[in-house]
Amino acid sequence: MRSLQAVLVAVLVLLAVAATTDAAWAPIPDRDLNGMVVQQAGRFAVLVHDITRRTTLVFVKVERGEMERPAGGGLGTNYRLVVTAARAPGGSRGRYECVVWGVPGSRTSTWKLLGFKAL
């Protein structure tokens, strides 16, 4: 009976750890920074910021990033990215941190820009 209780306690502890780490920010490996979803999230962030703030920023690249999957298996993923963007073609470059939420493979209209700031 005690061994069954010990197994149940171990399973509950593992489930609790999995639930708390599921929603933690995890670095995006360098090999995945040039992946389609990460690049689109970076482009989306610069484009939406450019349209809403009437700037002249043009996306250049994603330098690094982290992603956070929803707890409990919900839809959508948060992406916290550091992107390089240039002022109008040929202008000076700057680095920006942006946070984007979206469901990979969904329409652009379902994505949201949650934050954008100069570094």
Side-chain angles (χ1 to χ4, degrees):
M1 184 67 163
R2 285 189 172 192
S3 62
L4 179 59
Q5 287 175 339
V7 169
L8 287 174
V9 168
V11 168
L12 290 174
V13 168
L14 287 173
L15 289 173
V17 168
T20 58
T21 58
D22 190 32
W25 287 100
I28 298 172
D30 289 342
R31 67 177 184 277
D32 295 336
L33 285 179
N34 290 321
M36 183 178 70
V37 173
V38 174
Q39 291 294 307
Q40 286 181 339
R43 286 181 193 281
F44 172 82
V46 173
L47 177 66
V48 170
H49 178 76
D50 187 56
I51 290 170
T52 58
R53 302 289 186 193
R54 296 187 177 158
T55 63
T56 57
L57 290 179
V58 177
F59 173 81
V60 176
K61 69 178 181 174
V62 175
E63 291 188 21
R64 66 178 186 271
E66 301 171 301
M67 56 191 290
E68 178 185 51
R69 298 207 189 274
L75 289 177
T77 301
N78 288 318
Y79 296 91
R80 183 166 47 203
L81 307 173
V82 173
V83 299
T84 299
R87 296 260 175 222
S92 63
R93 291 182 175 196
R95 294 175 53 223
Y96 303 87
E97 180 182 76
C98 55
V99 179
V100 176
W101 175 90
V103 179
S106 68
R107 302 176 71 114
T108 305
S109 60
T110 61
W111 286 68
K112 293 179 175 57
L113 178 61
L114 304 176
F116 195 95
K117 68 178 181 180
L119 294 178

